Amino acid sequence: MSELVRLPDAEVARAASYARQALSPATLAAYAADWAGFEAWCRGRGVAALPATPVTVAAYLATLASTHAGSTLRRRLAAIGRAHRMAGQPWQGSRPALRGALAGIAPRRGTG
């Protein structure tokens, strides 16, 4: 069995740099704001933001349904998913609780 070896910091930093460049600065800023909002919402309810359960995320989206467009809700979901993946947490954004909540919200908001 081989021992775990620590990767050189420069290689890890290079990979992180490429990952940051995958999205535009505006998208990264929006995702950071979206994640901060989700974390605050979770903290206010005493639930974990990371890892978040699909039911927690669906409930969060439902609380925003009357004030946010469908496209904003989908971006918030994408931001939550990205935060999970970047932290090495499992993420399944297509879980029925999540997609069902979005699908049910869309007609009420008049957006797709």
Coordinates of all heavy atoms in Angstrom, one line a residue:
M1 N 0.8 -1.2 0.0 CA 0.0 0.0 0.0 C 0.9 1.2 0.0 O 1.9 1.3 0.7 CB -0.9 0.0 1.3 CG -2.3 0.4 1.0 SD -3.2 0.6 2.5 CE -4.2 -0.9 2.3
S2 N 0.5 2.2 -0.8 CA 1.4 3.4 -0.9 C 0.9 4.4 0.2 O -0.3 4.5 0.6 CB 1.3 4.0 -2.2 OG 0.0 4.5 -2.5
E3 N 1.8 5.2 0.7 CA 1.5 6.3 1.6 C 0.9 7.5 0.9 O 1.1 7.7 -0.3 CB 2.7 6.8 2.3 CG 3.3 5.8 3.3 CD 4.5 6.3 4.0 OE1 4.5 7.5 4.4 OE2 5.5 5.6 4.2
L4 N 0.0 8.2 1.6 CA -0.5 9.4 1.0 C 0.6 10.5 0.9 O 1.4 10.7 1.8 CB -1.6 10.0 1.8 CG -2.9 9.2 1.9 CD1 -3.9 9.8 2.8 CD2 -3.5 9.0 0.5
V5 N 0.7 11.1 -0.2 CA 1.8 12.1 -0.5 C 1.1 13.4 -0.6 O 0.1 13.6 -1.3 CB 2.6 11.7 -1.7 CG1 3.6 12.8 -2.0 CG2 3.2 10.3 -1.6
R6 N 1.7 14.4 0.0 CA 1.2 15.8 -0.1 C 1.6 16.4 -1.5 O 2.8 16.3 -1.9 CB 1.7 16.7 1.0 CG 1.2 18.1 0.9 CD 1.6 18.8 2.2 NE 1.6 20.2 2.1 CZ 0.6 21.0 2.1 NH1 -0.6 20.5 2.3 NH2 0.7 22.3 2.0
L7 N 0.7 16.9 -2.2 CA 1.0 17.5 -3.5 C 1.7 18.8 -3.3 O 1.4 19.5 -2.4 CB -0.3 17.7 -4.3 CG -1.0 16.5 -4.8 CD1 -2.4 16.9 -5.4 CD2 -0.2 15.7 -5.7
P8 N 2.6 19.2 -4.2 CA 3.2 20.5 -4.1 C 2.2 21.6 -4.2 O 1.3 21.6 -5.0 CB 4.2 20.5 -5.4 CG 4.3 19.1 -5.7 CD 3.0 18.4 -5.4
D9 N 2.4 22.6 -3.3 CA 1.5 23.7 -3.2 C 1.4 24.4 -4.6 O 0.3 24.9 -4.9 CB 2.0 24.7 -2.2 CG 1.9 24.2 -0.7 OD1 1.1 23.3 -0.5 OD2 2.5 24.7 0.2
A10 N 2.4 24.5 -5.3 CA 2.4 25.2 -6.6 C 1.4 24.5 -7.6 O 0.7 25.2 -8.3 CB 3.8 25.3 -7.2
E11 N 1.4 23.2 -7.5 CA 0.5 22.4 -8.4 C -1.0 22.6 -8.0 O -1.9 22.8 -8.8 CB 0.9 20.9 -8.4 CG 2.2 20.7 -9.1 CD 2.6 19.2 -9.1 OE1 1.8 18.4 -8.6 OE2 3.7 18.9 -9.5
V12 N -1.2 22.6 -6.7 CA -2.5 22.8 -6.2 C -3.0 24.2 -6.5 O -4.1 24.4 -6.9 CB -2.6 22.5 -4.7 CG1 -4.0 22.9 -4.1 CG2 -2.3 21.1 -4.4
A13 N -2.1 25.2 -6.3 CA -2.5 26.6 -6.6 C -2.8 26.8 -8.1 O -3.7 27.5 -8.5 CB -1.3 27.5 -6.2
R14 N -2.0 26.1 -9.0 CA -2.3 26.2 -10.4 C -3.6 25.6 -10.8 O -4.4 26.2 -11.6 CB -1.2 25.5 -11.2 CG -1.3 25.7 -12.7 CD -0.1 25.0 -13.5 NE 1.2 25.2 -12.9 CZ 2.0 24.2 -12.5 NH1 1.7 23.0 -12.7 NH2 3.2 24.5 -12.0
A15 N -4.0 24.5 -10.2 CA -5.3 23.9 -10.4 C -6.4 24.8 -10.0 O -7.4 25.0 -10.7 CB -5.4 22.5 -9.8
A16 N -6.2 25.4 -8.8 CA -7.2 26.3 -8.3 C -7.4 27.6 -9.2 O -8.5 28.1 -9.4 CB -6.9 26.8 -6.8
S17 N -6.3 28.0 -9.7 CA -6.3 29.2 -10.6 C -7.1 28.8 -11.9 O -7.9 29.7 -12.3 CB -4.9 29.6 -11.0 OG -4.9 30.6 -12.0
Y18 N -6.9 27.7 -12.4 CA -7.7 27.3 -13.6 C -9.1 27.2 -13.3 O -10.0 27.5 -14.1 CB -7.1 26.0 -14.2 CG -5.8 26.1 -14.9 CD1 -4.8 25.2 -14.7 CD2 -5.7 27.1 -15.9 CE1 -3.6 25.3 -15.4 CE2 -4.5 27.2 -16.6 CZ -3.4 26.3 -16.3 OH -2.3 26.4 -17.0
A19 N -9.4 26.6 -12.1 CA -10.8 26.5 -11.7 C -11.5 27.9 -11.6 O -12.7 28.0 -12.0 CB -10.9 25.7 -10.4
R20 N -10.8 28.8 -11.0 CA -11.4 30.2 -10.9 C -11.6 30.8 -12.3 O -12.5 31.6 -12.5 CB -10.4 31.1 -10.1 CG -10.5 30.8 -8.6 CD -9.8 31.9 -7.8 NE -8.3 31.9 -8.1 CZ -7.4 31.2 -7.6 NH1 -7.7 30.2 -6.7 NH2 -6.1 31.3 -8.0
Q21 N -10.7 30.5 -13.2 CA -10.9 31.1 -14.6 C -12.0 30.4 -15.4 O -12.3 30.9 -16.5 CB -9.5 30.9 -15.3 CG -8.4 31.8 -14.7 CD -7.1 31.5 -15.4 OE1 -7.0 31.3 -16.6 NE2 -6.0 31.4 -14.5
A22 N -12.5 29.4 -14.9 CA -13.6 28.7 -15.6 C -14.9 29.5 -15.7 O -15.7 29.3 -16.6 CB -13.9 27.3 -15.0
L23 N -15.0 30.4 -14.8 CA -16.2 31.3 -14.7 C -15.8 32.7 -14.8 O -14.7 33.1 -14.3 CB -17.0 31.0 -13.5 CG -17.5 29.6 -13.3 CD1 -18.1 29.4 -11.9 CD2 -18.6 29.3 -14.4
S24 N -16.7 33.6 -15.3 CA -16.4 35.0 -15.4 C -16.3 35.6 -14.0 O -17.0 35.1 -13.1 CB -17.4 35.7 -16.2 OG -18.6 35.8 -15.5
P25 N -15.6 36.7 -13.8 CA -15.6 37.4 -12.5 C -17.0 37.7 -12.0 O -17.3 37.6 -10.9 CB -14.7 38.6 -12.8 CG -13.8 38.2 -13.9 CD -14.7 37.3 -14.8
A26 N -17.9 38.2 -13.0 CA -19.2 38.5 -12.6 C -20.0 37.3 -12.0 O -20.7 37.4 -11.0 CB -20.0 39.1 -13.7
T27 N -19.8 36.1 -12.7 CA -20.5 34.9 -12.2 C -19.9 34.5 -10.9 O -20.7 34.1 -10.0 CB -20.3 33.8 -13.3 OG1 -20.9 34.2 -14.5 CG2 -20.9 32.5 -12.8
L28 N -18.6 34.6 -10.7 CA -18.0 34.2 -9.4 C -18.5 35.1 -8.3 O -18.8 34.7 -7.2 CB -16.5 34.3 -9.5 CG -15.8 33.2 -10.3 CD1 -14.3 33.5 -10.5 CD2 -16.1 31.8 -9.7
A29 N -18.6 36.4 -8.6 CA -19.2 37.3 -7.6 C -20.6 37.0 -7.3 O -21.0 37.0 -6.1 CB -19.0 38.8 -8.1
A30 N -21.4 36.7 -8.3 CA -22.8 36.4 -8.0 C -22.9 35.1 -7.2 O -23.7 35.0 -6.3 CB -23.6 36.2 -9.4
Y31 N -22.1 34.1 -7.6 CA -22.1 32.8 -6.8 C -21.7 33.1 -5.4 O -22.2 32.5 -4.4 CB -21.2 31.8 -7.5 CG -21.7 31.1 -8.6 CD1 -22.9 31.4 -9.2 CD2 -21.1 30.0 -9.2 CE1 -23.5 30.7 -10.3 CE2 -21.6 29.3 -10.3 CZ -22.8 29.7 -10.8 OH -23.3 29.0 -11.9
A32 N -20.7 33.9 -5.1 CA -20.2 34.2 -3.8 C -21.3 34.8 -3.0 O -21.6 34.5 -1.8 CB -19.0 35.1 -3.8
A33 N -22.0 35.8 -3.6 CA -23.2 36.4 -2.9 C -24.3 35.4 -2.6 O -24.9 35.4 -1.5 CB -23.7 37.6 -3.7
D34 N -24.6 34.6 -3.6 CA -25.6 33.6 -3.5 C -25.3 32.6 -2.3 O -26.1 32.3 -1.5 CB -25.8 32.8 -4.8 CG -26.4 33.6 -5.9 OD1 -26.9 34.7 -5.6 OD2 -26.3 33.2 -7.0
W35 N -24.0 32.2 -2.3 CA -23.6 31.2 -1.2 C -23.7 31.9 0.1 O -24.2 31.3 1.1 CB -22.2 30.7 -1.5 CG -21.7 29.8 -0.4 CD1 -20.7 30.1 0.5 CD2 -22.2 28.5 -0.1 NE1 -20.6 29.0 1.4 CE2 -21.5 28.1 1.0 CE3 -23.3 27.7 -0.6 CZ2 -21.8 26.8 1.6 CZ3 -23.5 26.5 0.0 CH2 -22.8 26.1 1.1
A36 N -23.3 33.2 0.2 CA -23.4 33.9 1.5 C -24.8 34.0 2.0 O -25.1 33.8 3.2 CB -22.7 35.3 1.4
G37 N -25.7 34.2 1.0 CA -27.1 34.3 1.4 C -27.6 33.0 1.9 O -28.4 32.9 2.9
F38 N -27.2 31.9 1.2 CA -27.7 30.6 1.6 C -27.1 30.2 3.0 O -27.8 29.7 3.9 CB -27.3 29.5 0.6 CG -27.6 28.1 1.0 CD1 -29.0 27.7 1.1 CD2 -26.7 27.2 1.2 CE1 -29.3 26.4 1.5 CE2 -27.0 25.9 1.6 CZ -28.3 25.5 1.7
E39 N -25.8 30.5 3.2 CA -25.2 30.3 4.5 C -25.9 31.0 5.6 O -26.2 30.5 6.7 CB -23.7 30.7 4.5 CG -22.8 29.7 3.9 CD -21.4 30.0 4.1 OE1 -21.0 31.2 3.8 OE2 -20.6 29.2 4.5
A40 N -26.3 32.3 5.4 CA -27.0 33.1 6.4 C -28.4 32.5 6.7 O -28.8 32.4 7.8 CB -27.1 34.5 5.9
W41 N -29.0 32.1 5.6 CA -30.4 31.5 5.8 C -30.3 30.2 6.6 O -31.0 30.0 7.6 CB -31.0 31.2 4.4 CG -32.3 30.6 4.4 CD1 -33.5 31.3 4.4 CD2 -32.7 29.2 4.5 NE1 -34.6 30.4 4.5 CE2 -34.1 29.1 4.5 CE3 -32.0 28.0 4.5 CZ2 -34.8 27.9 4.5 CZ3 -32.7 26.8 4.5 CH2 -34.1 26.8 4.5
C42 N -29.3 29.4 6.3 CA -29.1 28.1 7.1 C -28.7 28.4 8.5 O -29.3 27.8 9.5 CB -28.0 27.3 6.5 SG -28.4 26.5 4.9
R43 N -27.8 29.4 8.8 CA -27.4 29.7 10.1 C -28.6 30.2 10.9 O -28.8 29.8 12.1 CB -26.3 30.8 10.1 CG -25.6 31.0 11.3 CD -24.4 31.9 11.1 NE -24.5 33.0 10.1 CZ -24.0 33.0 8.9 NH1 -23.2 32.0 8.5 NH2 -24.1 34.0 8.1
G44 N -29.5 31.0 10.3 CA -30.7 31.5 11.0 C -31.7 30.4 11.4 O -32.5 30.6 12.3
R45 N -31.6 29.2 10.7 CA -32.5 28.1 11.0 C -31.8 27.0 11.8 O -32.4 26.0 12.0 CB -33.1 27.6 9.7 CG -34.2 28.6 9.3 CD -34.4 28.6 7.8 NE -35.4 29.6 7.4 CZ -35.1 30.9 7.3 NH1 -33.9 31.3 7.5 NH2 -36.1 31.7 6.9
G46 N -30.5 27.1 12.0 CA -29.8 26.1 12.7 C -29.5 24.8 11.9 O -29.4 23.7 12.5
V47 N -29.4 24.9 10.6 CA -29.2 23.8 9.7 C -27.8 23.9 9.0 O -27.3 25.1 8.9 CB -30.3 23.5 8.7 CG1 -31.6 23.2 9.4 CG2 -30.5 24.7 7.8
A48 N -27.3 22.8 8.6 CA -26.0 22.9 8.0 C -26.1 23.4 6.5 O -27.0 22.9 5.8 CB -25.3 21.5 8.0
A49 N -25.2 24.3 6.1 CA -25.1 24.7 4.8 C -24.2 23.8 3.9 O -24.4 23.7 2.7 CB -24.6 26.2 4.7
L50 N -23.3 23.2 4.6 CA -22.3 22.3 3.9 C -22.0 21.1 4.8 O -21.4 21.3 5.9 CB -21.1 23.1 3.6 CG -20.0 22.5 2.7 CD1 -20.6 22.3 1.3 CD2 -18.8 23.3 2.6
P51 N -22.4 20.0 4.5 CA -23.2 19.6 3.3 C -24.7 19.9 3.6 O -25.1 19.7 4.8 CB -23.0 18.2 3.1 CG -22.6 17.6 4.4 CD -21.9 18.7 5.2
A52 N -25.4 20.4 2.7 CA -26.8 20.7 2.8 C -27.6 19.5 2.2 O -27.2 18.9 1.3 CB -27.2 21.9 2.1
T53 N -28.7 19.2 2.9 CA -29.6 18.2 2.4 C -30.4 18.7 1.2 O -30.7 20.0 1.2 CB -30.5 17.6 3.4 OG1 -31.5 18.6 3.8 CG2 -29.8 17.1 4.7
P54 N -30.9 17.9 0.3 CA -31.8 18.4 -0.7 C -33.0 19.1 -0.2 O -33.5 20.1 -0.7 CB -32.1 17.1 -1.5 CG -31.0 16.2 -1.3 CD -30.6 16.5 0.1
V55 N -33.6 18.6 0.9 CA -34.8 19.2 1.5 C -34.4 20.6 2.0 O -35.2 21.5 1.8 CB -35.3 18.3 2.6 CG1 -36.4 19.0 3.4 CG2 -35.8 17.0 2.1
T56 N -33.2 20.8 2.6 CA -32.8 22.1 3.1 C -32.8 23.1 1.9 O -33.3 24.2 2.0 CB -31.5 22.1 3.8 OG1 -31.6 21.3 5.0 CG2 -31.0 23.4 4.2
V57 N -32.1 22.7 0.8 CA -32.0 23.5 -0.4 C -33.3 23.8 -1.0 O -33.6 25.0 -1.3 CB -31.0 22.9 -1.4 CG1 -30.9 23.8 -2.6 CG2 -29.6 22.7 -0.8
A58 N -34.2 22.8 -1.1 CA -35.6 23.0 -1.6 C -36.3 24.0 -0.8 O -37.0 24.9 -1.3 CB -36.3 21.7 -1.7
A59 N -36.2 23.9 0.6 CA -36.9 24.8 1.5 C -36.4 26.3 1.3 O -37.2 27.2 1.3 CB -36.8 24.4 2.9
Y60 N -35.1 26.4 1.1 CA -34.5 27.7 0.9 C -35.0 28.3 -0.4 O -35.4 29.5 -0.4 CB -33.0 27.6 0.8 CG -32.2 28.8 0.3 CD1 -32.2 29.9 1.1 CD2 -31.6 28.8 -0.9 CE1 -31.5 31.0 0.7 CE2 -30.9 29.9 -1.4 CZ -30.9 31.0 -0.6 OH -30.2 32.1 -1.0
L61 N -35.1 27.6 -1.5 CA -35.6 28.1 -2.7 C -37.1 28.5 -2.6 O -37.5 29.5 -3.2 CB -35.4 27.0 -3.8 CG -34.0 26.7 -4.2 CD1 -34.0 25.5 -5.2 CD2 -33.2 27.9 -4.7
A62 N -37.8 27.7 -1.8 CA -39.2 28.0 -1.6 C -39.4 29.3 -0.9 O -40.3 30.1 -1.2 CB -39.9 26.9 -0.9
T63 N -38.5 29.6 0.0 CA -38.6 30.9 0.7 C -38.4 32.1 -0.2 O -38.8 33.2 0.1 CB -37.7 31.0 1.9 OG1 -36.3 31.0 1.5 CG2 -37.9 29.9 2.9
L64 N -37.6 31.9 -1.3 CA -37.3 33.0 -2.2 C -38.3 33.0 -3.4 O -38.3 34.0 -4.2 CB -35.9 32.7 -2.8 CG -34.8 32.7 -1.8 CD1 -33.5 32.3 -2.5 CD2 -34.6 33.9 -1.0
A65 N -39.2 32.1 -3.5 CA -40.1 31.9 -4.6 C -40.9 33.2 -4.9 O -41.2 33.5 -6.1 CB -41.0 30.7 -4.5
S66 N -41.4 33.9 -3.9 CA -42.3 35.0 -4.1 C -41.5 36.3 -4.5 O -42.2 37.3 -4.9 CB -43.2 35.2 -2.9 OG -42.4 35.6 -1.8
T67 N -40.2 36.3 -4.3 CA -39.5 37.5 -4.5 C -38.4 37.4 -5.6 O -37.8 38.4 -5.9 CB -38.8 38.0 -3.2 OG1 -38.0 36.9 -2.7 CG2 -39.9 38.3 -2.2
H68 N -38.1 36.2 -6.1 CA -37.0 36.0 -7.0 C -37.5 35.3 -8.3 O -38.3 34.4 -8.2 CB -35.9 35.2 -6.4 CG -35.2 35.9 -5.3 ND1 -35.8 36.2 -4.1 CD2 -33.9 36.5 -5.2 CE1 -34.9 36.8 -3.3 NE2 -33.8 37.0 -4.0
A69 N -36.9 35.7 -9.4 CA -37.2 35.1 -10.7 C -36.7 33.7 -10.7 O -35.7 33.3 -10.0 CB -36.6 35.9 -11.8
G70 N -37.3 32.9 -11.6 CA -36.8 31.5 -11.8 C -35.3 31.4 -12.1 O -34.6 30.5 -11.7
S71 N -34.9 32.3 -13.0 CA -33.5 32.3 -13.4 C -32.6 32.6 -12.2 O -31.5 32.0 -12.1 CB -33.2 33.3 -14.5 OG -33.5 34.6 -14.1
T72 N -33.0 33.4 -11.3 CA -32.2 33.7 -10.1 C -32.2 32.5 -9.2 O -31.1 32.1 -8.6 CB -32.8 34.9 -9.3 OG1 -32.8 36.0 -10.2 CG2 -31.9 35.2 -8.1
L73 N -33.3 31.8 -9.1 CA -33.3 30.6 -8.2 C -32.4 29.5 -8.8 O -31.7 28.8 -8.0 CB -34.8 30.1 -8.1 CG -35.8 31.0 -7.4 CD1 -37.1 30.4 -7.4 CD2 -35.3 31.4 -6.0
R74 N -32.4 29.4 -10.1 CA -31.6 28.4 -10.7 C -30.1 28.7 -10.5 O -29.3 27.9 -10.3 CB -31.9 28.2 -12.2 CG -33.2 27.5 -12.4 CD -33.4 27.1 -13.9 NE -33.5 28.3 -14.8 CZ -34.6 29.0 -14.9 NH1 -35.7 28.7 -14.3 NH2 -34.6 30.1 -15.8
R75 N -29.8 30.0 -10.6 CA -28.4 30.5 -10.3 C -28.0 30.2 -8.9 O -26.9 29.7 -8.6 CB -28.2 31.9 -10.6 CG -26.7 32.3 -10.6 CD -26.5 33.8 -10.6 NE -26.9 34.4 -9.3 CZ -27.5 35.5 -9.2 NH1 -27.8 36.3 -10.2 NH2 -27.8 35.9 -8.0
R76 N -28.9 30.4 -8.0 CA -28.7 30.1 -6.5 C -28.4 28.7 -6.3 O -27.5 28.3 -5.6 CB -29.8 30.6 -5.7 CG -30.1 32.1 -5.7 CD -29.7 32.8 -4.4 NE -29.8 34.2 -4.6 CZ -30.3 35.0 -3.6 NH1 -30.7 34.5 -2.5 NH2 -30.3 36.3 -3.8
L77 N -29.2 27.8 -7.0 CA -29.0 26.4 -6.9 C -27.6 26.0 -7.5 O -26.9 25.2 -6.9 CB -30.1 25.7 -7.7 CG -30.0 24.1 -7.7 CD1 -30.0 23.6 -6.3 CD2 -31.2 23.6 -8.5
A78 N -27.2 26.6 -8.6 CA -25.9 26.4 -9.2 C -24.8 26.8 -8.3 O -23.8 26.1 -8.1 CB -25.8 27.1 -10.5
A79 N -25.0 27.9 -7.6 CA -24.0 28.4 -6.7 C -23.8 27.4 -5.5 O -22.7 27.1 -5.0 CB -24.3 29.8 -6.2
I80 N -24.9 26.9 -5.0 CA -24.9 26.0 -3.8 C -24.2 24.7 -4.3 O -23.4 24.2 -3.6 CB -26.3 25.7 -3.3 CG1 -26.9 27.0 -2.7 CG2 -26.3 24.6 -2.3 CD1 -28.4 27.0 -2.4
G81 N -24.5 24.2 -5.5 CA -23.9 23.0 -6.0 C -22.4 23.2 -6.2 O -21.6 22.3 -5.8
R82 N -22.0 24.4 -6.7 CA -20.6 24.6 -6.9 C -19.8 24.7 -5.6 O -18.7 24.1 -5.5 CB -20.4 25.9 -7.7 CG -18.9 26.2 -8.0 CD -18.7 27.4 -8.9 NE -17.4 27.5 -9.4 CZ -16.4 28.0 -8.8 NH1 -16.5 28.5 -7.6 NH2 -15.2 28.1 -9.4
A83 N -20.4 25.3 -4.6 CA -19.8 25.3 -3.3 C -19.6 23.9 -2.7 O -18.5 23.6 -2.2 CB -20.6 26.2 -2.3
H84 N -20.5 23.1 -2.9 CA -20.4 21.7 -2.5 C -19.3 21.0 -3.2 O -18.5 20.3 -2.6 CB -21.7 21.0 -2.6 CG -22.7 21.2 -1.5 ND1 -23.3 22.4 -1.3 CD2 -23.1 20.4 -0.5 CE1 -24.1 22.3 -0.3 NE2 -24.0 21.1 0.3
R85 N -19.3 21.1 -4.5 CA -18.3 20.4 -5.3 C -16.9 20.9 -5.0 O -15.9 20.2 -4.9 CB -18.6 20.6 -6.8 CG -19.8 19.7 -7.2 CD -20.0 19.8 -8.8 NE -20.1 21.1 -9.3 CZ -21.3 21.8 -9.4 NH1 -22.4 21.2 -8.9 NH2 -21.3 23.0 -9.9
M86 N -16.7 22.3 -4.8 CA -15.4 22.8 -4.5 C -14.9 22.4 -3.2 O -13.7 22.3 -2.9 CB -15.5 24.4 -4.6 CG -15.8 24.9 -6.0 SD -14.5 24.4 -7.2 CE -13.2 25.5 -6.8
A87 N -15.8 22.1 -2.3 CA -15.5 21.6 -0.9 C -15.3 20.1 -0.9 O -15.1 19.5 0.2 CB -16.5 22.1 0.1
G88 N -15.5 19.4 -2.0 CA -15.3 18.0 -2.1 C -16.5 17.2 -1.5 O -16.4 16.1 -1.1
Q89 N -17.7 17.9 -1.4 CA -18.9 17.3 -0.9 C -19.7 16.8 -2.1 O -19.7 17.3 -3.1 CB -19.7 18.3 -0.1 CG -19.1 18.8 1.1 CD -18.9 17.8 2.2 OE1 -19.8 16.9 2.3 NE2 -17.8 17.8 2.9
P90 N -20.4 15.7 -1.8 CA -21.3 15.1 -2.9 C -22.4 16.1 -3.2 O -22.9 16.8 -2.3 CB -21.8 13.8 -2.3 CG -21.7 14.0 -0.9 CD -20.5 14.9 -0.6
W91 N -22.7 16.2 -4.5 CA -23.8 17.1 -4.9 C -24.6 16.5 -6.0 O -24.0 16.1 -7.0 CB -23.2 18.5 -5.3 CG -24.3 19.4 -5.8 CD1 -24.6 19.7 -7.1 CD2 -25.3 20.0 -5.0 NE1 -25.7 20.6 -7.1 CE2 -26.2 20.7 -5.8 CE3 -25.6 20.0 -3.6 CZ2 -27.2 21.5 -5.3 CZ3 -26.6 20.7 -3.1 CH2 -27.4 21.5 -4.0
Q92 N -25.9 16.5 -5.9 CA -26.8 16.0 -6.9 C -27.9 17.0 -7.1 O -29.0 16.9 -6.5 CB -27.3 14.6 -6.5 CG -26.3 13.5 -6.5 CD -26.9 12.2 -6.1 OE1 -27.9 12.1 -5.4 NE2 -26.2 11.1 -6.5
G93 N -27.6 18.0 -7.9 CA -28.6 19.0 -8.1 C -29.9 18.6 -8.8 O -30.8 19.3 -8.9
S94 N -29.9 17.4 -9.4 CA -31.1 16.9 -10.0 C -32.0 16.1 -9.1 O -32.9 15.4 -9.6 CB -30.7 16.1 -11.3 OG -29.9 15.0 -10.9
R95 N -31.7 16.1 -7.8 CA -32.5 15.3 -6.9 C -34.0 15.8 -7.0 O -34.3 17.0 -7.2 CB -32.0 15.6 -5.5 CG -30.7 15.0 -5.1 CD -30.6 13.5 -5.1 NE -31.4 13.0 -4.1 CZ -30.9 12.6 -2.9 NH1 -29.7 12.7 -2.6 NH2 -31.7 12.1 -2.0
P96 N -34.9 14.9 -6.9 CA -36.3 15.2 -7.1 C -36.8 16.4 -6.2 O -37.6 17.2 -6.6 CB -37.1 13.9 -6.7 CG -36.1 12.9 -7.1 CD -34.7 13.4 -6.7
A97 N -36.3 16.5 -4.9 CA -36.7 17.5 -4.0 C -36.3 18.9 -4.6 O -37.1 19.9 -4.4 CB -36.1 17.3 -2.6
L98 N -35.2 19.0 -5.2 CA -34.7 20.2 -5.8 C -35.4 20.6 -7.1 O -35.9 21.7 -7.3 CB -33.2 20.2 -6.0 CG -32.4 19.9 -4.7 CD1 -30.9 19.8 -5.1 CD2 -32.6 21.1 -3.8
R99 N -35.4 19.7 -8.0 CA -36.0 19.9 -9.3 C -37.5 20.1 -9.2 O -38.1 20.9 -9.9 CB -35.6 18.8 -10.3 CG -34.2 18.8 -10.7 CD -33.8 20.1 -11.3 NE -32.3 20.2 -11.4 CZ -31.7 21.3 -11.6 NH1 -32.3 22.4 -11.8 NH2 -30.4 21.4 -11.6
G100 N -38.1 19.3 -8.3 CA -39.5 19.4 -8.1 C -39.9 20.8 -7.6 O -40.9 21.4 -8.0
A101 N -39.1 21.3 -6.6 CA -39.4 22.6 -6.1 C -39.3 23.7 -7.2 O -40.1 24.6 -7.3 CB -38.4 22.9 -4.9
L102 N -38.2 23.6 -8.0 CA -38.0 24.6 -9.0 C -39.2 24.5 -10.1 O -39.7 25.5 -10.5 CB -36.7 24.4 -9.7 CG -35.5 25.0 -9.0 CD1 -34.2 24.6 -9.8 CD2 -35.6 26.4 -8.8
A103 N -39.5 23.3 -10.4 CA -40.6 23.1 -11.4 C -41.9 23.6 -10.9 O -42.7 24.2 -11.6 CB -40.7 21.6 -11.8
G104 N -42.2 23.5 -9.6 CA -43.4 23.9 -9.0 C -43.4 25.4 -8.9 O -44.5 26.1 -8.9
I105 N -42.3 26.1 -8.6 CA -42.2 27.5 -8.5 C -42.3 28.2 -9.8 O -43.0 29.3 -9.9 CB -40.8 27.9 -7.8 CG1 -40.8 27.4 -6.3 CG2 -40.6 29.4 -7.9 CD1 -39.4 27.5 -5.7
A106 N -41.8 27.7 -10.8 CA -41.7 28.4 -12.1 C -43.0 28.9 -12.6 O -43.1 30.1 -13.0 CB -41.0 27.5 -13.2
P107 N -44.1 28.1 -12.7 CA -45.4 28.6 -13.2 C -46.0 29.7 -12.3 O -46.6 30.6 -12.8 CB -46.3 27.4 -13.2 CG -45.5 26.2 -13.0 CD -44.2 26.7 -12.4
R108 N -45.7 29.7 -11.1 CA -46.2 30.7 -10.2 C -45.5 32.1 -10.3 O -46.0 33.1 -9.9 CB -46.2 30.2 -8.7 CG -47.2 29.2 -8.5 CD -46.9 28.3 -7.2 NE -47.9 27.3 -7.1 CZ -48.0 26.2 -7.8 NH1 -47.2 26.0 -8.8 NH2 -48.9 25.3 -7.5
R109 N -44.2 32.0 -10.8 CA -43.4 33.2 -11.0 C -43.6 33.7 -12.4 O -43.1 34.8 -12.7 CB -41.9 32.9 -10.7 CG -41.6 32.6 -9.3 CD -41.7 33.7 -8.4 NE -40.9 34.9 -8.9 CZ -41.2 36.1 -8.7 NH1 -42.3 36.5 -8.1 NH2 -40.4 37.1 -9.1
G110 N -44.2 32.9 -13.3 CA -44.3 33.4 -14.7 C -43.0 33.3 -15.4 O -42.8 33.9 -16.4
T111 N -42.1 32.5 -14.9 CA -40.8 32.3 -15.6 C -40.5 30.8 -15.7 O -41.0 30.0 -15.0 CB -39.7 33.0 -14.8 OG1 -39.6 32.4 -13.4 CG2 -39.9 34.5 -14.6
G112 N -39.6 30.5 -16.6 CA -39.2 29.1 -16.8 C -37.9 28.7 -16.3 O -37.2 29.3 -15.7

